[in-house]
Coordinates of all heavy atoms in Angstrom, one line a residue:
M1 N 0.8 -1.2 0.0 CA 0.0 0.0 0.0 C 0.9 1.3 0.0 O 0.4 2.2 -0.5 CB -0.9 0.0 1.2 CG -2.1 0.8 1.1 SD -3.2 0.3 2.4 CE -3.5 1.8 3.1
N2 N 2.0 1.2 0.6 CA 2.9 2.4 0.6 C 4.0 2.3 -0.4 O 4.7 3.3 -0.6 CB 3.5 2.5 2.0 CG 2.5 2.8 3.0 OD1 1.5 3.5 2.7 ND2 2.7 2.3 4.2
Y3 N 4.2 1.2 -1.1 CA 5.3 1.0 -2.0 C 5.2 2.0 -3.2 O 6.2 2.7 -3.5 CB 5.4 -0.4 -2.5 CG 6.5 -0.6 -3.5 CD1 7.8 -0.6 -3.1 CD2 6.2 -0.7 -4.8 CE1 8.8 -0.8 -4.1 CE2 7.2 -0.9 -5.8 CZ 8.5 -0.9 -5.4 OH 9.5 -1.1 -6.3
F4 N 4.1 2.0 -3.8 CA 3.9 2.8 -5.0 C 4.0 4.3 -4.8 O 4.7 5.1 -5.5 CB 2.7 2.4 -5.8 CG 2.8 1.0 -6.4 CD1 2.0 0.0 -6.0 CD2 3.8 0.7 -7.3 CE1 2.1 -1.3 -6.5 CE2 3.9 -0.6 -7.9 CZ 3.1 -1.5 -7.5
P5 N 3.3 4.8 -3.7 CA 3.4 6.2 -3.5 C 4.8 6.6 -3.0 O 5.4 7.7 -3.5 CB 2.5 6.5 -2.3 CG 1.5 5.4 -2.4 CD 2.2 4.2 -2.9
A6 N 5.5 5.8 -2.3 CA 6.9 6.0 -1.9 C 7.8 6.0 -3.1 O 8.7 6.8 -3.2 CB 7.4 5.0 -0.8
A7 N 7.5 5.1 -4.0 CA 8.4 5.0 -5.2 C 8.2 6.3 -6.1 O 9.2 6.8 -6.6 CB 8.0 3.8 -6.0
V8 N 7.0 6.9 -6.1 CA 6.8 8.1 -6.8 C 7.5 9.3 -6.1 O 8.2 10.1 -6.8 CB 5.3 8.4 -6.9 CG1 5.1 9.9 -7.4 CG2 4.7 7.5 -7.9
L9 N 7.4 9.4 -4.8 CA 8.1 10.4 -4.0 C 9.6 10.3 -4.1 O 10.3 11.4 -4.2 CB 7.6 10.4 -2.6 CG 6.2 10.8 -2.3 CD1 5.8 10.6 -0.9 CD2 6.0 12.2 -2.7
L10 N 10.2 9.1 -4.1 CA 11.6 8.9 -4.1 C 12.1 8.8 -5.6 O 13.3 8.6 -5.8 CB 12.0 7.7 -3.4 CG 11.7 7.7 -1.9 CD1 11.9 6.4 -1.2 CD2 12.4 8.8 -1.2
E11 N 11.2 8.9 -6.6 CA 11.6 8.9 -7.9 C 12.3 7.6 -8.3 O 13.3 7.6 -9.0 CB 12.4 10.1 -8.4 CG 11.7 11.4 -8.2 CD 12.5 12.6 -8.5 OE1 13.7 12.5 -8.8 OE2 11.9 13.7 -8.4
K12 N 11.8 6.5 -7.8 CA 12.3 5.1 -8.1 C 11.5 4.5 -9.2 O 10.4 4.8 -9.4 CB 12.3 4.3 -6.9 CG 13.0 4.8 -5.6 CD 14.5 4.5 -5.9 CE 15.3 5.0 -4.6 NZ 16.7 4.7 -4.7
E13 N 12.2 3.5 -9.9 CA 11.4 2.8 -10.9 C 10.6 1.7 -10.3 O 10.9 1.2 -9.2 CB 12.4 2.1 -11.8 CG 13.1 3.0 -12.8 CD 13.9 2.2 -13.8 OE1 13.6 1.1 -14.1 OE2 14.9 2.8 -14.4
T14 N 9.4 1.5 -10.9 CA 8.5 0.4 -10.5 C 8.4 -0.6 -11.7 O 7.7 -0.4 -12.6 CB 7.1 0.9 -10.1 OG1 6.6 1.7 -11.2 CG2 7.1 1.8 -8.9
P15 N 9.3 -1.7 -11.6 CA 9.3 -2.6 -12.7 C 7.9 -3.3 -12.9 O 7.2 -3.6 -11.9 CB 10.4 -3.6 -12.3 CG 10.6 -3.4 -10.9 CD 10.2 -2.0 -10.5
F16 N 7.6 -3.4 -14.1 CA 6.3 -4.1 -14.6 C 5.1 -3.3 -14.3 O 3.9 -3.8 -14.4 CB 6.1 -5.5 -13.9 CG 7.3 -6.4 -14.1 CD1 8.1 -6.7 -13.0 CD2 7.7 -6.8 -15.3 CE1 9.2 -7.5 -13.2 CE2 8.8 -7.7 -15.5 CZ 9.5 -8.0 -14.5
F17 N 5.2 -2.0 -13.8 CA 4.0 -1.2 -13.5 C 4.3 0.2 -14.1 O 5.4 0.6 -14.3 CB 3.8 -1.0 -12.0 CG 3.4 -2.3 -11.3 CD1 4.3 -3.1 -10.6 CD2 2.0 -2.7 -11.3 CE1 3.9 -4.3 -10.0 CE2 1.6 -3.8 -10.7 CZ 2.6 -4.6 -10.1
P18 N 3.2 0.9 -14.4 CA 3.4 2.3 -15.0 C 4.1 3.2 -13.9 O 3.9 3.0 -12.7 CB 2.0 2.7 -15.3 CG 1.1 1.6 -15.2 CD 1.8 0.5 -14.4
E19 N 4.8 4.2 -14.4 CA 5.4 5.1 -13.5 C 4.5 5.9 -12.6 O 4.8 6.3 -11.5 CB 6.3 6.0 -14.2 CG 7.5 5.4 -14.9 CD 8.4 6.4 -15.6 OE1 8.2 7.6 -15.4 OE2 9.2 6.0 -16.4
N20 N 3.3 6.2 -13.0 CA 2.4 7.1 -12.3 C 1.4 6.3 -11.5 O 0.4 6.9 -11.0 CB 1.7 8.0 -13.3 CG 0.9 7.2 -14.3 OD1 0.9 6.0 -14.4 ND2 0.2 8.0 -15.1
I21 N 1.6 5.0 -11.2 CA 0.7 4.2 -10.4 C 0.6 4.7 -9.0 O -0.5 4.6 -8.4 CB 1.0 2.7 -10.5 CG1 -0.2 1.9 -10.0 CG2 2.3 2.4 -9.7 CD1 0.0 0.4 -10.3
G22 N 1.6 5.3 -8.5 CA 1.6 5.8 -7.1 C 0.6 6.9 -6.9 O 0.1 7.2 -5.7
Y23 N 0.3 7.7 -7.9 CA -0.7 8.8 -7.8 C -2.1 8.3 -7.6 O -3.0 9.1 -7.2 CB -0.6 9.7 -9.0 CG 0.7 10.4 -9.1 CD1 1.6 10.1 -10.2 CD2 1.0 11.4 -8.2 CE1 2.8 10.8 -10.2 CE2 2.2 12.1 -8.3 CZ 3.1 11.8 -9.3 OH 4.3 12.4 -9.4
Y24 N -2.4 7.1 -7.9 CA -3.8 6.5 -7.8 C -4.1 6.0 -6.4 O -5.2 5.6 -6.1 CB -4.0 5.4 -8.8 CG -3.9 5.8 -10.3 CD1 -2.9 5.3 -11.1 CD2 -4.8 6.7 -10.7 CE1 -2.8 5.8 -12.4 CE2 -4.7 7.2 -12.1 CZ -3.8 6.7 -12.9 OH -3.6 7.1 -14.2
S25 N -3.1 5.9 -5.6 CA -3.2 5.3 -4.2 C -4.3 6.1 -3.4 O -5.2 5.5 -2.8 CB -1.9 5.3 -3.5 OG -2.1 4.8 -2.2
P26 N -4.3 7.4 -3.4 CA -5.4 8.1 -2.6 C -6.8 7.8 -3.2 O -7.7 7.6 -2.4 CB -5.1 9.6 -2.7 CG -3.6 9.7 -3.1 CD -3.4 8.4 -3.8
L27 N -6.9 7.8 -4.5 CA -8.2 7.4 -5.1 C -8.7 6.1 -4.7 O -9.8 5.9 -4.4 CB -8.1 7.6 -6.6 CG -9.3 7.2 -7.4 CD1 -10.5 8.2 -7.1 CD2 -9.0 7.2 -8.9
V28 N -7.8 5.1 -4.8 CA -8.1 3.7 -4.4 C -8.5 3.7 -2.9 O -9.5 3.0 -2.6 CB -6.9 2.8 -4.7 CG1 -7.2 1.4 -4.1 CG2 -6.7 2.7 -6.2
G29 N -7.8 4.4 -2.1 CA -8.2 4.5 -0.7 C -9.5 5.0 -0.4 O -10.3 4.5 0.4
I30 N -9.9 6.0 -1.1 CA -11.3 6.7 -1.0 C -12.3 5.7 -1.5 O -13.4 5.5 -0.8 CB -11.3 8.0 -1.7 CG1 -10.4 9.0 -1.0 CG2 -12.7 8.5 -1.9 CD1 -10.2 10.3 -1.8
V31 N -12.1 5.0 -2.6 CA -13.0 4.1 -3.1 C -13.3 2.9 -2.1 O -14.4 2.6 -1.8 CB -12.6 3.5 -4.5 CG1 -13.4 2.4 -4.9 CG2 -12.7 4.6 -5.5
F32 N -12.2 2.4 -1.6 CA -12.3 1.3 -0.6 C -13.0 1.7 0.7 O -13.7 0.9 1.4 CB -11.0 0.6 -0.4 CG -10.7 -0.5 -1.5 CD1 -9.8 -0.2 -2.5 CD2 -11.3 -1.7 -1.4 CE1 -9.6 -1.1 -3.4 CE2 -11.1 -2.7 -2.4 CZ -10.2 -2.4 -3.4
F33 N -12.7 3.0 1.1 CA -13.4 3.5 2.2 C -14.9 3.5 2.1 O -15.6 3.1 3.0 CB -12.9 4.9 2.6 CG -13.7 5.6 3.6 CD1 -13.4 5.2 5.0 CD2 -14.7 6.5 3.4 CE1 -14.1 5.9 6.0 CE2 -15.4 7.1 4.4 CZ -15.1 6.8 5.7
F34 N -15.4 4.0 1.0 CA -16.8 4.1 0.7 C -17.4 2.7 0.6 O -18.6 2.5 1.0 CB -17.1 5.0 -0.5 CG -17.0 6.4 -0.2 CD1 -16.1 7.2 -0.7 CD2 -17.9 7.0 0.8 CE1 -15.9 8.5 -0.4 CE2 -17.8 8.3 1.1 CZ -16.9 9.1 0.6
I35 N -16.7 1.7 0.0 CA -17.2 0.3 -0.1 C -17.3 -0.2 1.4 O -18.4 -0.8 1.7 CB -16.3 -0.5 -0.9 CG1 -16.4 -0.1 -2.4 CG2 -16.6 -2.0 -0.7 CD1 -15.3 -0.8 -3.3
A36 N -16.3 -0.1 2.2 CA -16.4 -0.6 3.6 C -17.4 0.2 4.4 O -18.1 -0.5 5.2 CB -15.0 -0.4 4.2
Y37 N -17.6 1.5 4.1 CA -18.6 2.2 4.9 C -20.1 1.8 4.5 O -20.9 1.6 5.4 CB -18.5 3.7 4.5 CG -19.5 4.6 5.2 CD1 -19.4 4.9 6.6 CD2 -20.6 5.1 4.5 CE1 -20.3 5.7 7.2 CE2 -21.5 5.9 5.2 CZ -21.4 6.2 6.6 OH -22.3 6.9 7.2
S38 N -20.2 1.4 3.2 CA -21.6 1.0 2.8 C -21.9 -0.4 3.3 O -23.0 -0.7 3.8 CB -21.8 1.1 1.3 OG -20.8 0.4 0.6
I39 N -20.9 -1.3 3.4 CA -21.1 -2.6 4.0 C -21.3 -2.5 5.5 O -22.2 -3.1 6.1 CB -19.8 -3.5 3.8 CG1 -19.8 -3.8 2.3 CG2 -19.9 -4.7 4.6 CD1 -18.5 -4.5 1.9
W40 N -20.6 -1.5 6.2 CA -20.9 -1.3 7.6 C -22.3 -0.8 7.9 O -22.9 -1.3 8.8 CB -19.9 -0.3 8.1 CG -20.0 0.1 9.6 CD1 -20.7 1.2 10.0 CD2 -19.5 -0.6 10.7 NE1 -20.7 1.2 11.4 CE2 -19.9 0.1 11.8 CE3 -18.8 -1.8 10.8 CZ2 -19.6 -0.3 13.1 CZ3 -18.5 -2.2 12.1 CH2 -18.9 -1.5 13.2
M41 N -22.8 0.1 7.1 CA -24.1 0.7 7.2 C -25.2 -0.4 6.9 O -26.2 -0.5 7.6 CB -24.3 1.9 6.3 CG -23.4 3.1 6.7 SD -23.6 3.6 8.5 CE -25.2 4.3 8.5
L42 N -24.9 -1.3 6.0 CA -25.8 -2.4 5.7 C -25.9 -3.3 6.9 O -27.0 -3.7 7.3 CB -25.3 -3.2 4.5 CG -26.2 -4.4 4.1 CD1 -27.5 -3.9 3.6 CD2 -25.5 -5.1 3.0
G43 N -24.8 -3.6 7.5 CA -24.8 -4.4 8.8 C -25.5 -3.7 9.9 O -26.1 -4.4 10.7
L44 N -25.3 -2.4 10.0 CA -26.0 -1.7 11.1 C -27.6 -1.7 10.9 O -28.3 -1.8 11.9 CB -25.6 -0.3 11.2 CG -24.3 0.0 11.9 CD1 -24.0 1.5 11.8 CD2 -24.3 -0.5 13.3
K45 N -28.0 -1.7 9.7 CA -29.5 -1.8 9.4 C -30.0 -3.1 9.9 O -31.2 -3.2 10.3 CB -29.7 -1.6 8.0 CG -29.6 -0.1 7.5 CD -29.9 0.0 6.0 CE -29.6 1.3 5.5 NZ -29.8 1.4 4.1
R46 N -29.3 -4.2 9.7 CA -29.7 -5.6 10.0 C -29.4 -6.0 11.5 O -29.8 -7.0 11.9 CB -29.1 -6.5 9.0 CG -29.5 -6.3 7.6 CD -28.8 -7.2 6.7 NE -29.2 -6.9 5.3 CZ -29.9 -7.7 4.5 NH1 -30.4 -8.8 5.0 NH2 -30.2 -7.3 3.3
Y47 N -28.7 -5.1 12.2 CA -28.3 -5.5 13.6 C -29.5 -5.5 14.5 O -30.3 -4.6 14.5 CB -27.2 -4.5 14.1 CG -26.8 -4.7 15.5 CD1 -26.1 -5.8 15.9 CD2 -27.3 -3.9 16.5 CE1 -25.7 -6.0 17.2 CE2 -26.9 -4.0 17.8 CZ -26.1 -5.1 18.1 OH -25.8 -5.3 19.4
K48 N -29.6 -6.5 15.3 CA -30.6 -6.5 16.4 C -29.8 -7.0 17.6 O -29.2 -8.0 17.7 CB -31.6 -7.6 16.1 CG -32.5 -7.2 14.9 CD -33.6 -8.2 14.7 CE -34.3 -7.7 13.4 NZ -35.4 -8.5 13.1
S49 N -30.0 -6.2 18.7 CA -29.3 -6.4 19.9 C -30.0 -7.5 20.7 O -31.2 -7.9 20.5 CB -29.2 -5.2 20.8 OG -30.5 -4.8 21.3
T50 N -29.3 -8.1 21.8 CA -29.9 -9.1 22.5 C -30.9 -8.6 23.6 O -31.6 -9.3 24.1 CB -28.8 -9.9 23.3 OG1 -28.0 -9.0 24.1 CG2 -27.8 -10.6 22.3
G51 N -30.8 -7.3 23.9 CA -31.7 -6.6 24.8 C -31.3 -6.7 26.2 O -32.0 -6.3 27.1
S52 N -30.1 -7.2 26.5 CA -29.7 -7.3 27.9 C -28.7 -6.2 28.2 O -28.2 -5.5 27.4 CB -28.9 -8.6 28.2 OG -27.8 -8.7 27.3

């Protein structure tokens, strides 16, 4: 998760991957956050406590 952004900041080569792949890391993080958030909210809707 940190390799590609660090490679961009340190101007290192990333073999077998495009050079600008590190710039997509924040976008991927935001997308996965919203996926996890929507799954969490779905779970909250179906949650029923034991009542104790």
